[in-house]
Coordinates of all heavy atoms in Angstrom, one line a residue:
Chain B
G173 N -183.2 -94.2 29.1 CA -182.8 -95.6 28.9 C -183.5 -96.3 27.7 O -182.9 -96.9 26.9
D179 N -180.9 -99.4 28.4 CA -181.6 -100.4 29.3 C -181.0 -101.8 29.1 O -180.9 -102.6 30.0 CB -183.1 -100.5 28.9 CG -183.8 -99.4 29.7 OD1 -183.1 -98.8 30.6 OD2 -185.0 -99.2 29.5
G185 N -176.0 -99.8 32.6 CA -176.7 -98.9 31.6 C -177.7 -98.0 32.3 O -177.8 -96.8 32.0
L244 N -165.8 -62.7 35.5 CA -165.9 -63.3 36.8 C -164.9 -64.4 37.0 O -164.3 -64.5 38.0 CB -167.3 -63.8 37.1 CG -168.3 -62.7 37.5 CD1 -169.7 -63.2 37.4 CD2 -168.0 -62.1 38.8
A332 N -185.3 -69.9 62.4 CA -186.6 -69.3 62.7 C -187.6 -69.6 61.6 O -188.8 -69.6 61.8 CB -186.4 -67.8 63.0
T355 N -197.6 -87.2 43.3 CA -198.9 -87.4 43.9 C -199.5 -86.0 44.2 O -200.6 -85.7 44.0 CB -198.9 -88.2 45.1 OG1 -198.1 -89.4 44.9 CG2 -200.3 -88.7 45.5
T363 N -210.5 -80.2 39.5 CA -211.1 -78.8 39.3 C -212.3 -78.6 40.2 O -213.0 -79.5 40.6 CB -211.5 -78.6 37.8 OG1 -212.4 -79.7 37.5 CG2 -210.3 -78.5 36.9
F421 N -166.9 -66.6 44.7 CA -168.0 -65.7 44.7 C -169.1 -66.1 43.7 O -170.3 -66.1 44.0 CB -167.5 -64.3 44.4 CG -168.6 -63.3 44.2 CD1 -169.2 -62.8 45.3 CD2 -169.0 -62.9 43.0 CE1 -170.2 -61.8 45.2 CE2 -170.0 -62.0 42.8 CZ -170.6 -61.4 43.9
I508 N -210.3 -79.6 58.9 CA -211.2 -79.5 57.8 C -211.1 -80.7 56.9 O -212.2 -81.3 56.5 CB -210.9 -78.2 57.0 CG1 -211.3 -77.0 57.9 CG2 -211.6 -78.2 55.7 CD1 -210.8 -75.7 57.4

Side-chain angles (χ1 to χ4, degrees):
Chain B
D179 273 356
L244 283 168
T355 316
T363 51
F421 173 77
I508 291 170

